[in-house]
Amino acid sequence: MVNEGPTEKKHVKALVIGAGPAGLCGAIAIAESIGDGKQILVVDEGIVPGGQLPKQTHKFFGHEGFYASVRGFEIGEKLVSKATDLGVQFSMQTTVAGIYEDSIVTYDRNNNSVDEYTADYLLIATGASERFLVFRNNTLPGVYGAGAVQTLMNQYKVMPGESFLIVGAGNIGLIVAYQLLQAGANVKAIVEASSKIGGYMVHANKIMRLGVPIMLNHTIVSALGEERVQGAIVARVDEHFKPIPGTEKEFVVDTICLAVGLQPSVELVAQTGAEIKYISELGGYVPIRDENMKTTADNVYIAGDLSGIEEASTAMIEGYIAGYNIAQKITGQDLSEKISTMKDELIEFRKGPFASKVREGLKKMNILFPSGGYRERTQQSTGPNGKLRAVIECPQAIPCNPCETSCPTGAINVGKNINSIPYVDYDKCIGCGVCVMKCPGLAIFLLQEKEDYSIVGIPYEFLPIPENGTIVKLFDKDGRYVADGQIDKVSVNRKEKTHLVFLRVPKGMENIVRHFDLAINSEEYVCRCEEVSRQDVEKVIDSGITDYEEIRRILRIGMGPCGGKTCRNVVLQIIAEKTKIPISESKLGAFRPPVIPLPIDAIVKSRKGVDKDE
Amino acid sequence: MGRLVEHPILNVKVSGAAEHMVFYFEDQPIFALPSDTIASALIASGIDIFGFTEHEHARGFFCAIGKCSSCLVEVDGVPNVRACITPVREGISVRRQIGRGKPKW
Amino acid sequence: MSDVNGTYDVCIIGGGITGTALAYSLCKLGETSVAVFEKSYLSSGSTGRCGGGIRQQWSTKNNVRLAMRSVKLFENFEEDVGMDIEYYQGGYLMLSYDEEEAEQFEKNVEIQREEGLDVEILTPKQVSERYPYINTQDLIVATFCQTDGHANPHKAVIGYAQAAKRMGADIYTHTEVLGVDVENGKVVGIQTTRGYFKCNVVVNASGPWSRQVAELAGVELPTESYRHQIFVTEPLENFFPMMAISFAGNFYMRQAHHGQFIMGQGDKDEKPGINYNVTFKFEKELAEKMVGIFPFLKNLRIMRHWSGMYNMSPDAQPIIGQSDKVKGYFYAVGYSGHGFMVAPAVSEALSELIVFGKTLHTDVSYLNVDRFSNEDVEKEKNVV
Ligand SMILES: Cc1cc2nc3c(=O)[nH]c(=O)nc-3n(C[C@H](O)[C@H](O)[C@H](O)COP(=O)(O)OP(=O)(O)OC[C@H]3O[C@@H](n4cnc5c(N)ncnc54)[C@H](O)[C@@H]3O)c2cc1C
Ligand SMILES: Cc1cc2nc3c(=O)[nH]c(=O)nc-3n(C[C@H](O)[C@H](O)[C@H](O)COP(=O)(O)OP(=O)(O)OC[C@H]3O[C@@H](n4cnc5c(N)ncnc54)[C@H](O)[C@@H]3O)c2cc1C
Ligand code: SF4
Ligand code: SF4
């Protein structure tokens, strides 16, 4: 039975709902100001505090004051220990089930217990929930939300599948794609219905150079499979986002990951009686609030994605603003200086082009944020030939500046407004590579032209870490194979785990090569019956044998039970790539019967029938 | 499908075999770690069909945080258990839920 | 008022079950110059928040008759009105935990049987044999009527509204009635947020707001609204066909079409006034009580919890009729928590009163507001 006997209501000075960056910073601000964290309870339904943070293995944008260039899960850990040190109380795996007329009710699923609270102040920071997408068979096992994939992969360390199609090219879709690749999965493509990539270009570049196509103006129309996902059909869309018949393409994937946006989780705020309004620029229904993050309900404050879908950095700042305001009321002391420092931070963060929706949305609540005042042009020069130096490929004005703050020689300039596009001062740059390893967008490379070859230094976050001298395949920024190269040396960064790999690339390719692949590691099976890999096929072709039937006899490709159904075209494709002879011109090879394996007993049985008739 | 064995960023070291637990899914023994939920243990073992709807459509997990009801299973005869947020316990018997779940009294 | 937006014979205030059923009944009688005014959306009042139970086991002859007539109309609903409203005659099981009440139950059954209603009296042993999932501890007696049942209130309102529209009635949603125009003691029109409408008859079917809406015409009605809460669990396979209810035990519960369990109870401490908040106290008390009686509930989770208003009259029975002060002013209010089930019969009777000046099917004169001028009002006992 749930909870024997009547529950007694517990009282706290401040109850914080949600232990994401917003809630944590709110709790920290209150605890720090009132000097007694024990009066503050943070309730969160997650396994560990941190909200979205523990699921994020990538480095965050922003500036150092708000943990830029620190990996999401590590930011979470830092905030939690800060709060815990201040004495803040946590109740995890506990959901706030409702804000009732008579109490705030929590459900602790681990102990299967219900508790009742009253609080002088409420800080609601419940974040956002994922949007869903409607397409045929969208409930099949294997269709998962991006958050679910991240939870499973990065928290439980379990992979939900092997090959993925991702729907949505906003930051979440792009990041999940990158995280999946890091975990060793195959990402077939990202489809995006709109005509441009919604997320940051630096995130998109990270996965495009790994060979993941981003298909703009495309959507998913159907998942394929009877009892679980075995594939997906995507199609081009018209200007009304309607699929265009005849443009369908099939992908063989076992998992479809939906990353189609977030909506603020307003249920609890609504239960307090606070006013809620639909503001599409902020992500849907959001609570009305003032610039101190106070809602229209007495003593109820909000912060973070709940108040408008944005970023961890702004969530933290809003958390502080709400927290200091609550602390000010609890203690009666004047915290206006701290509050206005935080407000200034917000102004800087929100000046850029990616904040334009948030600015528009907040305007509808009569909260105004200025825009502009940052550099929008990218640097044209890639520096003096022959010198080892940094080049930055960070083309959009985004609120981020760890490149500037990390450079030991002060060679990189972003400037006062962190949305500005960074520039390198090539007189100062010494090619140390610190910025390459710091940049959360993995958008900085090192270049140096040598006599016989060039050096390209690449940020690298995969396994295994390559050995010096290894021959590798080189890829351009779109993931196209361009040449072979060699590992020159590797600077291993054990602590932060973004390593710097120096490649020797053919001269003239230093501005082209942006990724490499260790040939040995990429076991792409061409023929799954006989387990023949792409490398095996390429080796035979390289030895001068380019006829399909000959390759077949050497490698036994197509001699397995599938009768060549899966591999024939792939082999033809490889032949075409390697020999530059189009598939249409190469010899097709024979199609020998039977096209399906025929059971002998069936043949025997039919033989008898024939006999009888005779 | 399966557990991560290596990762460039995360520590994926599996704690010792002594900490493994066993539970049952449709009478088959399944290994689990103490940190597992029913869903993570099943998916780590390659099982992703957790049940069927009234209309016989297969269902697996979806949101992973207990907000949808896609992953309902029967645990020791009790239906409507959310596999994605329910920790594994030694020896429990988990079954695919079909439709709305049978009452237990 | 100079701008006249329309003219109708009958203007109905309230788009709940009463208002829409009345529009439908009037149209059936050929009176199609009818408009319904609803300040929010259809069934936004008590109807859309109610338990949907339909029973005939009442303690007075008149109430039994009214309910039996309603059941007739519910039985023919799909055919007459043209909508499947998930009507299901799974019966009402009335459980008594009180000696005095148990005696009363047996008397009630006598009255009910006299009216031709098929009602069984069950011992605790019979109850637990029939319903092994009910814990019969402390149970004294139970009565069961198979033809009682439940339906989906939303669908019923939509069904009535669509049928009325098809026959020519107009339905104005998101239109609040702000005033009732009375000249020489007679209704002549109404003011609304969509302008002025002329009419000869106004019907107060405004549920929780009945007293305020009466005041618009200077009519006094002795009603007060009290909050009632209700919640619903996640679904199980359908196995619980009836509505289980207890007055002394203070609860009711049924399993809905889609498998969820809907349940509620009354709270003596409620203060009058419109209040749509919910309390956790309610969940605690009701959940604990219900798990004791229906142990299988312990494995379920509460999915949603909401509240609605009971529009109470002094004797817990509806107030139906015509004002003798203002000509053309009719009302059907004060249902005291059981208006959904009787609304079809009430609306039929009211439509007959409006069109013919007298009722043809069911006599509702005992529900006239006059009865409160009597010293001793007899209270209906069978209410939660
Ligand atoms: C894939 C991905 C990548 C991202 N990358 C970046 C990045 O690089 N840089 C950046 O700045 N931002 C990034 N973000 C955005 C950032 O994570 C969010 O903006 C930020 O986490 C919002 O913080 P929050 O505290 O408002 O909400 P959240 O972090 O979502 O936290 C909300 C918390 O509330 C809890 N909660 C909700 N309802 C209840 C309830 N009823 N009871 C108890 N607890 C409840 C939840 O469990 C959750 O822990 C990313 C987001 C995603 C999804
Ligand atoms: C929790 C709960 C459980 C219940 N369970 C049952 C049950 O099981 N069985 C049963 O028979 N009954 C039950 N009832 C009672 C039943 O819901 C009501 O008696 C019945 O719905 C009344 O219907 P109505 O159409 O008269 O009023 P309502 O449905 O309340 O409709 C009145 C309408 O009038 C509108 N209105 C008010 N003022 C104005 C204005 N000035 N202008 C325009 N529109 C106006 C309102 O918006 C409202 O929509 C229950 C009630 C509650 C609260
Ligand atoms: S390579 Fe070193 S010196 Fe050059 S910009 Fe980067 S951090 Fe600064
Ligand atoms: S180059 Fe600088 S501004 Fe651009 S993503 Fe990297 S650190 Fe941020």
Side-chain angles (χ1 to χ4, degrees), chain A residues 17-23 43-46 50-52 56 58-61 94-96 125-128 150 172 175 268 303-305 310-313 315, chain B residues 67:
Chain A
I17 308 176
V43 180
D44 192 292
E45 61 190 2
Q52 295 297 328
Q56 308 307 338
H58 65 289
K59 296 175 178 174
F60 275 41
F61 296 101
T94 302
T95 304
V96 173
T126 46
Q150 288 193 322
I172 296 180
I175 287 167
L268 291 177
D305 277 357
E310 213 175 347
E311 297 238 313
S313 36
Chain B
K67 299 271 173 179

Side-chain angles (χ1 to χ4, degrees), chain C residues 1 3-6 36-40 171-178 190-197:
Chain C
M1 277 276 168
D3 277 353
V4 176
N5 263 351
V36 177
F37 294 86
E38 167 53 53
K39 66 177 173 179
S40 182
I171 299 202
Y172 297 90
T173 59
H174 301 281
T175 309
E176 184 169 354
V177 176
L178 304 170
I190 58 171
Q191 288 122 23
T192 79
T193 49
R194 251 181 240 235
Y196 189 84
F197 293 84

Side-chain angles (χ1 to χ4, degrees), chain A residues 389-390 406-409 411-412 424 428-436 446:
Chain A
R389 64 212 188 263
S406 68
C407 174
T409 68
I412 302 181
V424 183
K428 289 189 188 160
C429 174
I430 54 166
C432 70
V434 169
C435 58
V436 180
L446 293 183

